[in-house]
Amino acid sequence: MNKKEQIYEGKGKKLFATDDAATLIAEFKDDLTAFNAQKKAQEKGKGALNAAISAKLFRLIELNGVSTHLIKRLDETNHLIKKTQIIPIEVVVRNIATGSLTKRLGIAEGVKLPFALVEFYYKNDNLGDPILNDEHAVLMKLASENELKTLKELARKINDILRPFFESIQLKLVDFKVEFGRDQSGRILLADEIGPDSCRFWDANSGEKLDKDRFRQDLGGVKAAYEEVLRRVEGALK
Ligand code: UDP
């Protein structure tokens, strides 16, 4: 599949056209951003680590019955994907309280939530990705009521697949963000990526953070943490 002109550049990936109008190539970048891109850095090899981790997780998710945009990983940093229209809603699933949930609502850091909490955020950098309820999303025509129901169901299903998987490799899946797109027939597919840039992973034994919080909080060892996540994921998913 030929990589043709670049059609989009986001914070973590570039999208390229291919010979097939229904297919794109997503190239994972080495850029690290946090706090709505106010904090930026580069980490050589990070794109390849995320591309490898995300490909493995998308395959696991697909095998467990959730359709994704991933066709295949082409090389270190490039994924061949189905073209979708991205729904501008970041769907966050939380198992343990931390981050913005503790700041906004005063829930104690590290508390295990009684059920997986699903939240919607409006994907809009100018507004700083504000939290949304269903009625906001429907009146802004970001998605239909039916689609919101599907997004919640798929997000919970993905959590039900990933949480025990990460538990089996001694990682607590604290929370994560997913994005979805509509294909040409309107079917909703898991899109974007899943990995240490968009999830929080805490080592089950030491509690060590093995995700982008190492960058957000200047803890150092970002690449080593991502490498450790890949090592464990690859160890479990040959
Ligand atoms: N997240 C993300 N992109 C965003 C915002 C959040 O991938 O633009 C992920 C983040 O890595 C975490 C989860 O969503 O796994 C919940 O993040 P939170 O709302 O606590 O925001 P933060 O504290 O990261 O600002």
Coordinates of all heavy atoms in Angstrom, one line a residue, residues 1-58:
M1 N 0.9 -1.2 0.0 CA 0.0 0.0 0.0 C 0.9 1.2 0.0 O 1.7 1.4 0.9 CB -0.9 0.0 1.3 CG -2.0 1.0 1.3 SD -3.3 0.8 0.0 CE -4.2 -0.6 0.7
N2 N 0.7 2.1 -1.0 CA 1.6 3.3 -1.1 C 1.1 4.4 -0.1 O -0.1 4.7 0.0 CB 1.5 3.9 -2.5 CG 2.4 3.1 -3.4 OD1 3.5 2.7 -3.0 ND2 2.0 3.0 -4.7
K3 N 2.1 5.0 0.6 CA 1.8 6.1 1.5 C 1.8 7.4 0.6 O 2.8 7.7 0.0 CB 2.9 6.2 2.5 CG 2.7 7.0 3.7 CD 3.8 6.8 4.7 CE 3.6 7.5 6.0 NZ 4.6 7.3 7.0
K4 N 0.7 8.0 0.5 CA 0.6 9.2 -0.4 C 0.6 10.5 0.5 O 1.3 10.5 1.5 CB -0.7 9.1 -1.3 CG -0.5 7.9 -2.3 CD -1.7 7.6 -3.0 CE -2.0 8.6 -4.1 NZ -3.3 8.2 -4.8
E5 N -0.2 11.5 0.1 CA -0.1 12.8 0.8 C -0.6 12.8 2.2 O -1.5 12.0 2.5 CB -0.8 13.9 0.0 CG -2.3 13.9 0.1 CD -3.0 12.9 -0.9 OE1 -2.3 12.1 -1.5 OE2 -4.2 13.0 -1.0
Q6 N 0.1 13.6 3.0 CA -0.4 13.7 4.4 C -1.7 14.5 4.4 O -1.8 15.5 3.8 CB 0.7 14.5 5.2 CG 0.3 14.6 6.7 CD 1.3 15.4 7.5 OE1 2.5 15.1 7.4 NE2 0.9 16.3 8.3
I7 N -2.7 14.0 5.2 CA -4.0 14.6 5.2 C -4.3 15.3 6.6 O -5.2 16.1 6.7 CB -5.1 13.7 4.8 CG1 -5.2 12.4 5.6 CG2 -5.0 13.3 3.3 CD1 -6.4 11.7 5.4
Y8 N -3.5 14.9 7.6 CA -3.8 15.4 8.9 C -2.6 15.2 9.8 O -1.9 14.3 9.6 CB -5.0 14.7 9.5 CG -5.4 15.0 10.9 CD1 -6.1 16.2 11.2 CD2 -5.0 14.2 12.0 CE1 -6.4 16.6 12.5 CE2 -5.3 14.6 13.3 CZ -6.0 15.8 13.5 OH -6.3 16.1 14.8
E9 N -2.4 16.2 10.7 CA -1.3 15.9 11.7 C -1.9 16.3 13.1 O -2.4 17.4 13.3 CB -0.1 16.8 11.5 CG 0.9 16.6 12.6 CD 2.4 17.0 12.2 OE1 2.6 17.6 11.2 OE2 3.2 16.6 13.1
G10 N -1.9 15.3 14.0 CA -2.4 15.5 15.3 C -1.2 15.5 16.3 O -0.1 15.6 15.9
K11 N -1.5 15.5 17.6 CA -0.4 15.6 18.6 C 0.4 14.3 18.6 O 1.6 14.4 18.8 CB -1.0 15.8 20.0 CG -1.7 17.2 20.1 CD -2.0 17.6 21.5 CE -3.2 16.9 22.0 NZ -4.4 17.8 22.0
G12 N -0.2 13.2 18.4 CA 0.6 12.0 18.4 C 0.8 11.2 17.1 O 1.6 10.3 17.1
K13 N 0.0 11.6 16.1 CA 0.1 10.8 14.9 C -0.1 11.7 13.7 O -0.7 12.8 13.8 CB -1.0 9.7 14.9 CG -0.7 8.6 15.8 CD -1.8 7.5 15.8 CE -3.1 7.9 16.4 NZ -3.0 8.4 17.8
K14 N 0.4 11.2 12.5 CA 0.1 11.9 11.2 C -0.7 10.9 10.4 O -0.5 9.7 10.5 CB 1.4 12.1 10.4 CG 2.3 13.2 11.1 CD 3.6 13.3 10.2 CE 4.5 14.3 10.8 NZ 5.8 14.3 10.1
L15 N -1.7 11.4 9.6 CA -2.5 10.5 8.8 C -2.1 10.8 7.3 O -2.0 11.9 6.9 CB -4.0 10.7 9.0 CG -4.5 10.3 10.4 CD1 -6.0 10.7 10.4 CD2 -4.3 8.9 10.6
F16 N -2.0 9.7 6.6 CA -1.6 9.8 5.2 C -2.7 9.0 4.3 O -3.2 8.0 4.8 CB -0.3 9.1 4.9 CG 0.9 9.8 5.6 CD1 1.2 9.5 6.9 CD2 1.6 10.8 4.9 CE1 2.2 10.2 7.5 CE2 2.6 11.5 5.5 CZ 3.0 11.2 6.8
A17 N -3.0 9.6 3.1 CA -3.8 8.9 2.2 C -3.1 7.7 1.6 O -1.8 7.6 1.7 CB -4.2 9.8 1.0
T18 N -3.8 6.7 1.0 CA -3.2 5.6 0.3 C -3.9 5.5 -1.1 O -4.7 6.4 -1.4 CB -3.4 4.3 1.1 OG1 -4.8 4.0 1.0 CG2 -3.0 4.3 2.5
D19 N -3.5 4.4 -1.8 CA -4.2 4.2 -3.1 C -5.7 4.0 -3.0 O -6.4 4.1 -3.9 CB -3.5 3.0 -3.8 CG -2.0 3.3 -4.0 OD1 -1.6 4.4 -4.2 OD2 -1.3 2.3 -3.8
D20 N -6.1 3.5 -1.8 CA -7.5 3.1 -1.6 C -8.1 4.2 -0.7 O -7.7 4.5 0.4 CB -7.4 1.8 -0.8 CG -8.8 1.3 -0.4 OD1 -9.8 2.0 -0.7 OD2 -8.9 0.3 0.3
A21 N -9.2 4.7 -1.3 CA -9.9 5.9 -0.6 C -10.5 5.5 0.8 O -10.7 6.3 1.6 CB -11.0 6.4 -1.5
A22 N -10.7 4.2 1.0 CA -11.3 3.7 2.3 C -10.2 3.4 3.3 O -10.5 3.0 4.4 CB -12.1 2.5 2.0
T23 N -8.9 3.6 3.0 CA -7.8 3.2 3.8 C -6.8 4.3 4.0 O -6.5 5.0 3.1 CB -7.1 1.9 3.2 OG1 -8.1 0.9 2.9 CG2 -6.1 1.3 4.1
L24 N -6.3 4.4 5.2 CA -5.3 5.5 5.6 C -4.1 4.8 6.2 O -4.2 3.6 6.7 CB -5.9 6.5 6.5 CG -7.1 7.3 6.1 CD1 -7.6 8.2 7.3 CD2 -6.8 8.1 4.9
I25 N -3.0 5.5 6.3 CA -1.9 5.1 7.1 C -1.7 6.1 8.2 O -1.7 7.3 8.0 CB -0.6 5.0 6.2 CG1 -0.7 3.8 5.2 CG2 0.6 4.8 7.1 CD1 0.4 3.7 4.2
A26 N -1.6 5.6 9.5 CA -1.4 6.4 10.6 C 0.1 6.2 11.1 O 0.5 5.0 11.3 CB -2.3 6.0 11.8
E27 N 0.8 7.3 11.1 CA 2.2 7.2 11.5 C 2.3 7.8 13.0 O 2.0 8.9 13.2 CB 3.1 8.0 10.6 CG 4.6 7.9 10.9 CD 5.4 8.9 10.1 OE1 5.3 8.9 8.8 OE2 6.2 9.6 10.7
F28 N 2.8 6.9 13.8 CA 3.0 7.3 15.3 C 4.2 8.2 15.4 O 5.3 7.8 15.0 CB 3.1 6.1 16.1 CG 1.8 5.3 16.3 CD1 1.1 4.7 15.2 CD2 1.2 5.2 17.5 CE1 -0.1 4.0 15.3 CE2 -0.1 4.6 17.7 CZ -0.7 3.9 16.6
K29 N 4.1 9.3 16.1 CA 5.2 10.3 16.2 C 5.9 10.1 17.6 O 5.3 9.5 18.5 CB 4.6 11.7 16.2 CG 3.8 12.1 14.9 CD 3.7 13.5 14.7 CE 2.9 14.3 15.8 NZ 2.8 15.7 15.5
D30 N 7.1 10.7 17.7 CA 7.9 10.6 18.9 C 7.5 11.7 19.9 O 8.1 11.8 20.9 CB 9.4 10.6 18.6 CG 9.9 9.3 18.0 OD1 9.2 8.3 18.2 OD2 10.9 9.3 17.4
D31 N 6.6 12.6 19.5 CA 6.2 13.8 20.3 C 5.4 13.3 21.5 O 4.6 12.5 21.5 CB 5.3 14.8 19.5 CG 6.1 15.3 18.3 OD1 7.2 15.0 18.1 OD2 5.4 16.1 17.6
L32 N 5.8 14.0 22.6 CA 5.0 13.8 23.9 C 4.4 15.1 24.2 O 5.1 16.2 24.2 CB 6.0 13.4 25.0 CG 6.3 12.0 25.3 CD1 7.6 11.9 26.1 CD2 5.2 11.2 26.0
T33 N 3.1 15.1 24.5 CA 2.4 16.4 24.9 C 1.6 16.1 26.1 O 1.1 15.0 26.3 CB 1.5 17.0 23.8 OG1 0.5 16.0 23.5 CG2 2.3 17.2 22.5
A34 N 1.4 17.1 26.9 CA 0.5 17.0 28.1 C -0.1 18.4 28.4 O 0.4 19.4 27.9 CB 1.3 16.5 29.3
F35 N -1.1 18.4 29.2 CA -1.8 19.6 29.6 C -2.2 20.4 28.3 O -1.8 21.6 28.2 CB -1.0 20.4 30.6 CG -0.4 19.6 31.7 CD1 1.0 19.5 31.9 CD2 -1.3 18.9 32.5 CE1 1.4 18.7 32.9 CE2 -0.8 18.1 33.6 CZ 0.6 18.0 33.8
N36 N -3.0 19.8 27.5 CA -3.5 20.4 26.2 C -2.3 21.0 25.4 O -2.4 22.1 24.9 CB -4.5 21.4 26.6 CG -5.4 21.8 25.4 OD1 -5.5 21.0 24.4 ND2 -6.1 22.9 25.5
A37 N -1.2 20.2 25.3 CA 0.0 20.6 24.5 C 0.7 21.8 25.1 O 1.6 22.4 24.4 CB -0.4 20.7 23.1
Q38 N 0.5 22.2 26.3 CA 1.3 23.3 26.9 C 2.7 22.8 27.3 O 3.6 23.6 27.4 CB 0.6 23.9 28.1 CG -0.6 24.7 27.8 CD -1.4 25.1 29.1 OE1 -0.8 25.6 30.0 NE2 -2.7 24.8 29.1
K39 N 2.8 21.5 27.5 CA 4.0 20.9 27.8 C 4.4 19.9 26.7 O 3.6 19.1 26.3 CB 3.9 20.1 29.2 CG 5.2 19.4 29.6 CD 5.0 18.8 31.0 CE 6.2 18.1 31.4 NZ 6.2 17.8 32.9
K40 N 5.6 20.1 26.1 CA 5.9 19.3 24.9 C 7.3 18.7 25.1 O 8.2 19.4 25.6 CB 5.9 20.2 23.7 CG 4.5 20.6 23.2 CD 4.7 21.4 21.9 CE 3.4 22.2 21.6 NZ 3.6 23.2 20.6
A41 N 7.6 17.6 24.5 CA 8.9 17.0 24.4 C 9.0 16.0 23.3 O 7.9 15.7 22.7 CB 9.3 16.4 25.7
Q42 N 10.2 15.5 23.0 CA 10.3 14.4 22.0 C 11.0 13.3 22.7 O 11.9 13.5 23.6 CB 11.2 14.9 20.9 CG 10.5 15.8 19.9 CD 10.5 15.1 18.5 OE1 11.5 14.5 18.2 NE2 9.5 15.3 17.7
E43 N 10.7 12.1 22.4 CA 11.3 10.9 23.0 C 11.5 9.9 21.9 O 10.6 9.3 21.4 CB 10.4 10.3 24.1 CG 10.9 9.2 24.9 CD 12.0 9.6 25.9 OE1 11.7 10.5 26.7 OE2 13.1 9.0 25.9
K44 N 12.8 9.8 21.4 CA 13.1 9.0 20.3 C 12.7 7.5 20.5 O 13.0 7.0 21.6 CB 14.6 9.1 20.0 CG 14.9 8.7 18.5 CD 16.3 9.1 18.2 CE 16.9 8.5 16.9 NZ 15.9 7.8 16.0
G45 N 11.9 7.0 19.6 CA 11.5 5.6 19.7 C 10.1 5.5 20.4 O 9.5 4.4 20.4
K46 N 9.6 6.6 20.9 CA 8.3 6.5 21.6 C 7.1 6.1 20.6 O 6.3 5.3 20.9 CB 7.9 7.8 22.3 CG 6.8 7.7 23.2 CD 5.6 8.7 23.1 CE 5.2 9.2 21.8 NZ 3.8 9.8 21.8
G47 N 7.2 6.7 19.4 CA 6.2 6.3 18.4 C 6.1 4.9 18.1 O 5.1 4.2 18.0
A48 N 7.3 4.3 17.9 CA 7.4 2.8 17.6 C 6.9 2.0 18.8 O 6.2 1.0 18.6 CB 8.8 2.4 17.3
L49 N 7.2 2.4 20.0 CA 6.7 1.7 21.2 C 5.1 1.7 21.2 O 4.5 0.7 21.4 CB 7.2 2.3 22.5 CG 8.7 2.0 22.7 CD1 9.3 2.9 23.8 CD2 8.9 0.5 23.1
N50 N 4.6 2.9 21.0 CA 3.1 3.1 21.1 C 2.5 2.3 19.9 O 1.4 1.7 20.1 CB 2.7 4.5 21.0 CG 2.8 5.2 22.3 OD1 3.0 4.6 23.3 ND2 2.5 6.5 22.3
A51 N 3.1 2.3 18.7 CA 2.5 1.6 17.6 C 2.5 0.1 17.9 O 1.5 -0.6 17.5 CB 3.3 1.9 16.3
A52 N 3.6 -0.4 18.5 CA 3.6 -1.8 18.8 C 2.6 -2.2 19.9 O 1.9 -3.2 19.7 CB 5.0 -2.2 19.3
I53 N 2.5 -1.4 21.0 CA 1.6 -1.7 22.1 C 0.2 -1.6 21.5 O -0.7 -2.5 21.8 CB 1.8 -0.7 23.2 CG1 3.2 -1.0 23.9 CG2 0.7 -0.9 24.3 CD1 3.6 0.1 24.8
S54 N -0.2 -0.5 20.8 CA -1.5 -0.3 20.4 C -2.0 -1.4 19.4 O -3.1 -1.9 19.5 CB -1.7 1.0 19.7 OG -3.0 1.4 19.6
A55 N -1.1 -1.9 18.5 CA -1.4 -2.9 17.6 C -1.8 -4.2 18.3 O -2.8 -4.9 18.0 CB -0.3 -3.2 16.6
K56 N -1.0 -4.6 19.3 CA -1.3 -5.8 20.1 C -2.6 -5.7 20.8 O -3.4 -6.6 20.9 CB -0.2 -6.0 21.2 CG 1.1 -6.4 20.6 CD 1.2 -7.9 20.3 CE 2.6 -8.3 19.8 NZ 2.5 -9.5 19.1
L57 N -2.9 -4.5 21.4 CA -4.1 -4.3 22.2 C -5.3 -4.3 21.3 O -6.4 -4.9 21.6 CB -4.1 -3.1 23.1 CG -3.0 -3.1 24.2 CD1 -2.9 -1.8 24.9 CD2 -3.1 -4.2 25.1
F58 N -5.2 -3.6 20.1 CA -6.4 -3.6 19.2 C -6.7 -5.0 18.7 O -7.8 -5.4 18.6 CB -6.1 -2.7 18.0 CG -6.5 -1.2 18.2 CD1 -6.2 -0.6 19.4 CD2 -7.1 -0.5 17.3 CE1 -6.6 0.7 19.7 CE2 -7.5 0.8 17.5 CZ -7.3 1.4 18.7

